[in-house]
Amino acid sequence: MTLDDLRAFVSVCESGSLSAVARELGCTQSAVSQRIKRLERELGITLLERQPRGVAPTHAGRILHRSAADGLGGLDHALRRLDDLRQGGGGTVRVTTGATTVRHFMSAAVVAFRQRHPRVNLEFQTENSSRGCFQALAANTADLAWITIGPPVRGVQQRPVIELPWVLAVRADDPLAELTEIGPDDLAAIRHIRLPENSVSRHRLDELLTRQGTEPDSTTSVADWDTAILLAELGLGHAVVPALPGWHESARRDLRLIPIPWLPALAAGWAVRQWDALSPVAVEFARTVAASLTDPEPEPEVVG
């Protein structure tokens, strides 16, 4: 039994897929399967069972997964602390998030953090969903994940940082651009540019609109919030999106962002495996981002 065997086993339990773990590790599915079989031979008990889609831990597998995940998390924390000591105050903070997150949520924090810690490496990797971010945390390829806060996820701790009110992005010459806020009847008549299909924001918005009995016609869908806003600015439809910190309406002549006050705000923030297992520099980076968002410089009004 090796640490690599245990890491592979934990990753398979959390992803439910041998092939997904093989891709993450850069090896074959057969190699991952051999690691699991080696554990099963040494322990004398079956740890995984086949499911219609993927694999799942047996009762014995769940027992080992809980203990191994906790133990590996503590070991990874110790190894990162030792590496920080070896580098004399350096180290690495690994962040996974969406493609446009750094621009909207972290640009000021990155500058401030870099000034205080010039020797710390900041590594950013892009995922297109919260699930992908959770898998990166489980695979130990990321320390921090910036996500749209959703339902509880086993093995992941979520911490909200900022609330994002919903706005309607419209072209400046659209009749709706004259309104000071958007009501349910206004929303029912829009040409809706839908948010990414696998995103928490889309699921949350769909739930809210269904609950209100408001189901606008959809004309297109996009891969991220920025594209939805851009298409609305170009007149291809209307986008219901969170009010992003990095979007300043006053700098875009053809765009209006109109509040939708009756829709509950969306929360964004950090996800980690264990807060107390993070390195000190990772904790400080997370706090720096939070501080930059909760005490920002004054911004222009969203309605022109």
Side-chain angles (χ1 to χ4, degrees):
M1 181 186 305
T2 68
L3 286 176
D4 287 340
D5 293 343
L6 286 173
R7 291 187 195 280
F9 170 71
V10 169
S11 294
V12 170
C13 288
E14 293 175 350
S15 69
S17 170
L18 292 168
S19 59
V21 173
R23 288 193 298 271
E24 292 168 0
L25 297 179
C27 64
T28 65
Q29 181 174 327
S30 175
V32 176
S33 180
Q34 287 301 316
R35 291 188 180 281
I36 305 303
K37 289 178 181 177
R38 183 159 53 227
L39 285 175
E40 291 178 330
R41 286 196 302 269
E42 293 187 24
L43 296 174
I45 195 167
T46 301
L47 299 174
L48 293 177
E49 56 187 0
R50 293 284 180 180
Q51 297 289 321
R53 299 182 63 180
V55 295
T58 62
H59 177 65
R62 289 192 294 272
I63 293 174
L64 179 61
H65 171 235
R66 285 193 293 269
S67 296
D70 290 344
L72 289 172
L75 177 60
D76 289 338
H77 173 60
L79 292 175
R80 287 194 297 273
R81 293 293 300 274
L82 292 174
D83 190 56
D84 289 345
L85 289 174
R86 180 179 60 81
Q87 296 188 38
T92 298
V93 179
R94 305 167 301 168
V95 182
T96 181
T97 188
T100 62
T101 297
V102 175
R103 179 192 312 137
H104 294 305
F105 296 96
M106 301 183 188
S107 55
V110 166
V111 173
F113 183 84
R114 172 61 66 221
Q115 290 174 343
R116 293 197 300 269
H117 300 282
R119 298 183 61 187
V120 174
N121 296 319
L122 289 175
E123 296 181 359
F124 295 92
Q125 65 184 65
T126 301
E127 297 290 345
N128 59 8
S129 68
S130 292
R131 180 179 179 182
C133 290
F134 297 149
Q135 290 174 344
L137 292 174
N140 193 37
T141 59
D143 305 306
L144 297 161
W146 182 268
I147 62 165
T148 302
I149 301 297
V153 176
R154 184 174 179 177
V156 174
Q157 298 176 0
Q158 301 183 52
R159 181 171 295 179
V161 172
I162 185 172
E163 288 199 341
L164 307 172
W166 293 95
V167 297
L168 183 68
V170 302
R171 187 173 169 83
D173 58 5
D174 189 288
L176 292 174
E178 301 299 322
L179 300 179
T180 58
E181 63 180 50
I182 298 296
D185 292 341
D186 302 313
L187 210 55
I190 68 171
R191 293 175 292 116
H192 191 199
I193 300 170
R194 301 196 75 184
L195 298 177
E197 184 174 359
N198 59 352
S199 66
V200 172
S201 55
R202 173 161 168 174
H203 293 317
R204 184 68 53 80
L205 179 60
D206 286 348
E207 289 175 0
L208 294 172
L209 295 182
T210 299
R211 196 178 305 153
Q212 293 288 337
T214 303
E215 298 185 16
D217 291 334
S218 177
T219 59
T220 187
S221 62
V222 295
D224 56 68
W225 297 340
D226 276 9
T227 304
I229 295 172
L230 177 60
L231 293 184
E233 184 180 9
L234 295 174
L236 272 67
H238 308 84
V240 181
V241 293
L244 303 175
W247 273 89
H248 299 292
E249 181 198 54
S250 60
R252 310 182 74 91
R253 295 182 303 169
D254 296 327
L255 177 69
R256 295 293 181 271
L257 301 174
I258 310 171
I260 312 175
W262 50 277
L263 286 181
L266 198 66
W270 290 115
V272 301
R273 290 185 66 171
Q274 289 181 294
W275 282 103
D276 57 5
L278 289 175
S279 67
V281 287
V283 171
E284 183 172 349
F285 181 75
R287 289 174 176 169
T288 301
V289 171
S292 73
L293 294 171
T294 54
D295 188 23
E297 294 294 326
E299 295 182 3
E301 296 290 331
V302 295
V303 176

